[in-house]
Amino acid sequence: MVTTTLRKFVYPCWKPSIENEGENSSTRGGDPGGRVDGLWWYKDSGHHVNGEFSMAVIQANNVMEDQCQLESGPLSLADTGPQGTFVGIYDGHAGPEAARFINDRLFENLKKFTSEDQGMSADVISKAYLATEEEFLSLVRKQWLIKPHIASVGSCCLVGIICNGMLYIANAGDSRVVLGREEGDLKEVKAIQLSSEHNANLESVREELRSLHPDDPQVVVLKHKVWRVKGIIQVSRSIGDAYLKRAEFNREPLLPKFRTPGTFEKPILLAEPSVLAHRLLPSDQFLIFASDGLWEHLSNQEAVDIVNSCPRHGIARKLVKAALQEAAKKREMRYSDLKKIDRGVRRHFHDDITVVVLFLDSHLISRSSFHGPVISIKGGGHPGDSIT
C-alpha cells in the first residue's frame, strides 16, 4: 500500500513515460556517455557488470561543483585482475577543481593499487584515496602563487565498488549511499544506510575532532546554529582543502575568510575514508549513491520507495526531480517556477545534486568472471573540464 506521503513522489511513475525536463530532451538512444540538457546531465539507463544503472546531475551553482563516474569492467591494470563496477560521487566545495581532479585520478590510482596488491580490499581503496590527495596537494603547491584560491578548494568523495560478490563502500565527507533490501514475507524494500558521514553536525564527528585536537578548543564551533570545523567548513574529511591540511597554505595570498587563526602541526581535516565491506545478498536489490543535496530533501526510505515503485529507466532523474519538488515546496513556490531559475541564483534553493542508482542482479554478481563491454562514464562536467 502506498502511503499518502509517498504518493506525491511515486504517482508520476504510473504515467506512461518520464516527463522530460527540456523540450529537446530525448530519453532513449542518444549519447552513450550521457547528455547535457540545460542545467541537467543524465544517463537514463545502461548496463554494468552486475546489473543496470541510471545517473543524473542537476546544477545549482554558477560552476558545477559535483562530479561523478561509473566504471564497469577491469578494476586493475592486470589482464587477469578482478572485474567489477566502480561508482564515484564527488561533491566539490569552494570550486570545482578538486572534484574534477578526483574524477580524473581516483579510479586510475585504484587500478594501480589493485594490481600491486593483486586484489581488491579496504586497504587498496584507502591507498587510492590518499594517493589522490597527495597528487592534488602537489598541484596546489605548484599553482599556489598564481592561483592561491585552489588551496581552499576541496571535495567530498563517496565510492562504491562491487567485486567478487563483495560491496565496498568508502566515504570521506557527507555524501551517502543507501541500500534497498527486500525483507519479510510481504517483500517490503527497506532502506539501509551503508556510508558513515563526516559532518560536524553529528556528535560523533565532533567528538572525533576534539579527541584528535585536544589542545584546540576551537576545532569545532557553533555558528548560526550550525557546527563547523574551525568555524569554516561542515565536513571533517575530504580530498583537497589544503589550507586545513598543511599549515604552509594557511596564509597569504589565500583570502582571509579561508584562513584559520594561528598555526597547526597535524591536518585538521582528514582524507582517509571510512570503509565498509559487505557481502551482497540475493535480497539486496539496488544502491542509491547521492551527494548531500538529495538527502537534504528526501529521507532514505522515501528515496528507496521511489526507486522500488518506479520504472528503472530515468530513475536517477526521478529522484532528483522529487528532491527539487520538495525544495520548491519548502520555499512555498511551484516546481514549474523553480525550473525557470538559472544557475547561481538556484543555489539559494538547492545544492548541486548528483544521483547514481545501481540495480543489483544476483545472478551476475555470483559469476566468477564476466567478459562484457567496458563502460566508462563521467558525469556532471562538460568537455574541457579536466585540470592538470
Side-chain angles (χ1 to χ4, degrees):
M1 178 68 76
V2 179
T3 65
T4 302
T5 302
L6 179 58
R7 189 173 291 114
K8 64 184 177 182
F9 294 124
V10 304
Y11 176 74
C13 300
W14 300 324
K15 296 179 181 179
S17 62
I18 284 182
E19 174 189 346
N20 292 334
E21 295 302 324
E23 294 300 320
N24 298 317
S25 282
S26 175
T27 59
R28 296 191 180 274
D31 184 0
R35 63 173 59 223
V36 175
D37 179 18
L39 299 182
W40 285 86
W41 175 94
Y42 58 88
K43 169 72 173 171
D44 277 339
S45 64
H47 291 271
H48 63 104
V49 168
N50 301 288
E52 297 178 68
F53 69 87
S54 180
M55 306 170 71
V57 183
I58 188 74
Q59 181 174 350
N61 288 290
N62 275 316
V63 177
M64 169 64 75
E65 293 183 336
D66 275 16
Q67 301 282 308
C68 64
Q69 71 183 120
L70 185 145
E71 310 284 344
S72 193
L75 296 176
S76 81
L77 300 175
D79 292 337
T80 58
Q83 303 266 325
T85 302
F86 172 100
V87 171
I89 302 283
Y90 316 127
D91 182 359
H93 47 259
E97 291 90 346
R100 293 174 182 173
F101 188 89
I102 298 166
N103 216 6
D104 284 340
R105 294 298 307 146
L106 180 61
F107 183 62
E108 297 307 312
N109 283 326
L110 179 86
K111 288 196 293 184
K112 180 183 73 171
F113 289 113
T114 303
S115 301
E116 291 178 2
D117 286 32
Q118 299 183 336
M120 184 64 63
S121 67
D123 186 52
V124 161
I125 300 167
S126 293
K127 286 179 181 177
Y129 268 67
L130 296 177
T132 305
E133 162 88 341
E134 286 304 313
E135 289 175 352
F136 187 72
L137 294 184
S138 295
L139 176 69
V140 172
R141 188 171 289 108
K142 290 176 184 176
Q143 298 189 358
W144 165 243
L145 292 177
I146 58 172
K147 190 181 178 182
H149 174 70
I150 198 170
S152 66
V153 174
S155 180
C156 298
C157 186
L158 170 65
V159 162
I161 300 167
I162 300 174
C163 180
N164 295 327
M166 292 293 295
L167 169 67
Y168 298 89
I169 298 296
N171 194 38
D174 57 5
S175 295
R176 185 185 305 173
V177 58
V178 173
L179 169 69
R181 175 180 289 166
E182 202 172 69
E183 291 185 351
D185 296 336
L186 298 177
K187 301 294 185 182
E188 293 182 278
V189 178
K190 298 293 186 182
I192 301 171
Q193 183 172 325
L194 298 181
S195 54
S196 299
E197 293 173 22
H198 310 107
N199 188 302
N201 282 310
L202 299 173
E203 177 64 31
S204 60
V205 171
R206 296 197 297 276
E207 289 176 0
E208 178 184 57
L209 285 163
R210 288 168 180 147
S211 68
L212 290 172
H213 306 276
D215 299 326
D216 185 356
Q218 299 297 308
V219 69
V220 284
V221 177
L222 187 63
K223 288 184 68 174
H224 308 298
K225 300 182 180 179
V226 176
W227 286 98
R228 295 182 181 273
V229 182
K230 301 299 291 183
I232 299 171
I233 189 171
Q234 286 184 258
V235 295
S236 64
R237 300 195 191 195
S238 69
I239 289 178
D241 295 303
Y243 72 114
L244 292 173
K245 305 279 184 63
R246 306 277 175 86
E248 64 186 284
F249 301 119
N250 182 39
R251 59 181 177 84
E252 293 183 339
L254 187 66
L255 292 174
K257 68 176 181 179
F258 292 112
R259 301 203 300 266
T260 182
T263 187
F264 53 88
E265 293 184 4
K266 58 182 180 180
I268 297 170
L269 303 190
L270 301 177
E272 187 170 354
S274 298
V275 184
L276 166 80
H278 162 72
R279 181 158 293 282
L280 288 166
L281 306 171
S283 55
D284 293 341
Q285 302 295 299
F286 53 81
L287 297 159
I288 305 170
F289 297 84
S291 55
D292 67 324
L294 182 84
W295 308 113
E296 182 182 350
H297 302 293
L298 296 181
S299 70
N300 293 351
Q301 191 62 52
E302 283 174 338
V304 163
D305 287 342
I306 292 169
V307 174
N308 188 50
S309 303
C310 294
R312 291 185 174 188
H313 185 87
I315 192 59
R317 269 202 293 161
K318 183 66 68 177
L319 281 170
V320 175
K321 182 179 175 183
L324 297 181
Q325 288 171 327
E326 283 300 291
K329 183 179 177 182
K330 289 175 184 176
R331 299 297 290 269
E332 298 183 340
M333 64 189 301
R334 294 176 299 182
Y335 172 63
S336 58
D337 293 328
L338 176 62
K339 285 169 59 177
K340 299 172 186 175
I341 299 174
D342 202 359
R343 71 193 74 193
V345 178
R346 269 243 195 164
R347 186 60 185 88
H348 298 291
F349 298 85
H350 65 85
D351 199 355
D352 295 337
I353 301 175
T354 299
V355 176
V356 178
V357 180
L358 276 191
F359 293 97
L360 305 172
D361 185 324
S362 59
H363 298 293
L364 294 176
I365 290 169
S366 62
R367 289 184 185 179
S368 59
S369 63
F370 179 82
H371 299 288
V374 175
I375 298 170
S376 179
I377 300 175
K378 294 184 177 182
H382 299 275
D385 272 351
S386 299
I387 64 170
T388 56

